[in-house]
Amino acid sequence: MAKIGLIGLGYVGLPLACAFARKYGVVGYDCNPYRVEKLNVKRDAEEMVSQERLDEAFHNGLICTADAKNEQLKACNVYVVAVPTPVSEDHTPDLSCLKSASELVGSVISKGDYVVYESTVYPGLTEEYCLPIIEKVSGLKLNKDFYAGYSPERINPKDNVHTVETVCKITSGSTPEAADFIDKLYSSVLGGGTYKASSMKVAEAAKVMENTQRDVNIALMNEFAIIFGKLGIDTHDVVEAANTKWNALRFVPGLVGGHCIGVDPYYLIQKAEQIGISPRLMIEARRLNESMGNRLAMETISLMNKKGILVKDANVLLLGFSFKENCPDTRNTKVESIYRAFAEYTDNITVLDPVVDAAVVKKVYNIDVCTSLEKACAKKYDAIVLCVKHDAFSDIDIRSLMNEKCVVYDVKGALDRDVVTKRL
């Protein structure tokens, strides 16, 4: 009987731990003691799983620990690694979390055990980088003493439809027998079925392709928006018209943040460059999408100037700070670049987001976030930018917040058009 050690209890690891706990013993490990402390009193501060699912998991015996030497963690025979794979400031892959997790697995793994990686990487990284670390620390040999697999995460934060239990899960293994074992393990708890890839590299490549494909297509839509904006055409009107075709690709322009689409392409870009290929399309898509926040701010400032609004010391309202709607996650949010651009001209910037943890935003970005709609809506503004379409914003009367010459920039195409100065 499998006993699963889940390394990393974030937006990927925790839902997976809850799913496995329905049938197997699960020990969850996270290096953040505060995170573990909250989970052990059945509180998920990041709201990655419902309270009902969390209660059920603990009722079924889920154990959470921040102790890498925990005896129950050592007693597991399957280890699943679900740690972040971010990029550094120069957009190169940061493998520090993978290194630490692999060292941890190496310190607890025993003969006959399995390790499965879920973290998004470039093709080959699991076998070239992670597994040698486990071999070195443990003294065990891959495919002789222990076995490995790769099953890329397919988590969409705050999506209650496409959950870990309902989507098809790619699996793979270091040997045909390991691939079969891992596939059966996942399929035993996932209702969406599995797809057994022909190799670990194929599974790794499939994941990075999924997100890079979206990145490139959104970049194309952003380029359309720039062109159509210069032509005086509303891009959202164009999208609506184009989508009447049966095979239309239903992408829209926007900010590309978060920890997947805005990050994963850099892993493939680096690997391509290592083998002498310059992936120009992917590089340009990344460049364009990274520039959109500053571009939107500059467009808003230009519109303010045309209306005779003095930008210096103007009152600016940014609606939303997280990287996507109704989600508290602020990692790699592109609203930061909008804020920084305005901050060159005024200190009077109100960032309203009732969903995020203001203390986290202050610590990570040194930006003050107002979480109270009542407080933020007590003032009037010279510029309002809808950055994130939180459901909570649907109750706001934008007109009541506008000064006489106010510019309203609707990034999401969600506001009443008669109050909007420009839509992306």
Side-chain angles (χ1 to χ4, degrees):
M1 186 71 169
K3 184 175 182 181
I4 298 167
L6 214 308
I7 314 301
L9 295 173
Y11 81 101
V12 174
L14 183 60
L16 195 59
C18 291
F20 276 126
R22 288 174 173 162
K23 189 166 183 177
Y24 305 102
V26 178
V27 180
Y29 168 84
D30 198 283
C31 64
N32 183 347
Y34 177 77
R35 172 76 172 154
V36 172
E37 179 185 343
K38 292 300 181 183
L39 288 176
N40 279 329
V41 293
K42 302 178 183 178
R43 282 192 56 203
D44 175 21
E46 298 178 6
E47 301 178 2
M48 298 304 173
V49 299
S50 68
Q51 189 62 50
E52 182 181 4
R53 288 182 67 201
L54 195 60
D55 290 342
E56 178 192 31
F58 277 99
H59 177 75
N60 290 335
L62 173 65
I63 297 169
C64 295
T65 181
D67 180 9
K69 297 181 180 180
N70 183 283
E71 290 299 323
Q72 292 167 307
L73 184 62
K74 289 183 178 181
C76 294
N77 51 25
V78 178
Y79 295 94
V80 179
V81 177
V83 297
T85 47
V87 292
S88 57
E89 289 186 6
D90 63 355
H91 296 146
T92 57
D94 178 357
L95 304 179
S96 58
C97 292
L98 273 179
K99 181 176 183 292
S100 297
S102 298
E103 289 172 340
L104 171 59
V105 173
S107 70
V108 296
I109 199 168
S110 302
K111 283 190 175 183
D113 289 355
Y114 292 79
V115 56
V116 183
Y117 284 84
E118 294 232 352
S119 306
T120 303
V121 294
Y122 60 71
L125 188 140
T126 303
E127 293 162 283
E128 297 165 7
Y129 180 81
C130 300
L131 298 179
I133 293 175
I134 295 177
E135 288 182 317
K136 181 179 179 180
V137 174
S138 68
L140 302 178
K141 190 69 176 175
L142 176 66
N143 295 335
K144 177 183 177 184
D145 301 315
F146 74 97
Y147 303 91
Y150 183 81
S151 179
E153 58 91 359
R154 278 180 169 169
I155 299 292
N156 189 21
K158 301 301 289 184
D159 186 339
N160 296 322
V161 177
H162 304 99
T163 65
V164 67
E165 292 99 339
T166 61
V167 299
C168 180
K169 195 82 160 66
I170 296 174
T171 64
S172 64
S174 56
T175 68
E177 294 76 18
D180 288 341
F181 174 85
I182 292 166
D183 189 69
K184 289 177 182 177
L185 179 70
Y186 276 87
S187 63
S188 69
V189 296
L190 304 181
T194 58
Y195 176 87
K196 187 166 58 176
S198 58
S199 70
M200 292 171 62
K201 286 184 179 180
V202 167
E204 291 167 324
K207 171 59 180 177
V208 75
M209 175 189 279
E210 292 170 17
N211 286 336
T212 301
Q213 188 181 64
R214 290 184 58 79
D215 191 43
V216 170
N217 276 284
I218 295 171
L220 178 61
M221 298 308 297
N222 281 333
E223 192 159 64
F224 280 142
I226 293 168
I227 297 169
F228 295 152
K230 289 290 186 181
L231 295 174
I233 302 170
D234 188 290
T235 307
H236 288 272
D237 285 347
V238 178
V239 170
E240 186 176 342
N243 281 347
T244 60
K245 192 167 188 279
W246 68 89
N247 60 351
L249 300 178
R250 299 180 183 276
F251 290 94
V252 294
L255 302 173
V256 183
H259 35 72
C260 288
I261 300 176
V263 172
D264 297 348
Y266 289 119
Y267 280 75
L268 188 56
I269 287 169
Q270 185 195 58
K271 186 62 177 178
E273 291 176 337
Q274 287 176 356
I275 59 175
I277 297 173
S278 178
R280 290 178 292 177
L281 184 59
M282 289 188 289
I283 292 172
E284 183 59 23
R286 281 282 73 237
R287 185 202 65 78
L288 180 58
N289 285 340
E290 284 289 323
S291 71
M292 287 305 293
N294 185 75
R295 176 182 288 274
L296 297 178
M298 291 298 101
E299 285 188 355
T300 306
I301 289 169
S302 176
L303 291 168
M304 292 170 71
N305 286 329
K306 289 177 181 179
K307 279 195 171 188
I309 301 171
L310 186 63
V311 180
K312 180 175 171 54
D313 299 326
N315 289 316
V316 176
L317 174 63
L318 303 184
L319 292 171
F321 192 79
S322 63
F323 88 88
K324 65 177 291 187
E325 61 273 8
N326 305 317
C327 177
D329 198 335
T330 61
R331 283 177 290 177
N332 195 31
T333 175
K334 295 308 166 190
V335 183
E336 179 197 9
S337 57
I338 298 176
Y339 177 93
R340 302 293 181 204
F342 276 112
E344 293 289 323
Y345 300 89
T346 178
D347 293 327
N348 304 320
I349 305 172
T350 300
V351 181
L352 174 61
D353 197 317
V355 175
V356 305
D357 186 329
V360 171
V361 175
K362 182 66 174 178
K363 180 180 179 180
V364 175
Y365 297 99
N366 195 29
I367 292 175
D368 293 312
V369 170
C370 175
T371 58
S372 168
L373 270 68
E374 183 179 3
K375 182 177 180 181
C377 294
K379 297 193 296 183
K380 289 186 180 293
Y381 300 92
D382 301 303
I384 300 171
V385 183
L386 176 64
C387 307
V388 189
K389 191 175 64 174
H390 291 319
D391 289 345
F393 294 155
S394 61
D395 296 329
I396 296 178
D397 179 6
I398 297 296
R399 293 177 183 82
S400 68
L401 308 181
M402 299 168 59
N403 278 329
E404 183 180 355
K405 296 180 179 180
C406 181
V407 167
V408 179
Y409 199 119
D410 184 3
V411 176
K412 305 299 292 185
L415 300 176
D416 290 341
R417 296 183 67 165
D418 58 350
V419 302
V420 172
T421 309
K422 189 178 189 310
R423 300 202 294 180
L424 177 62

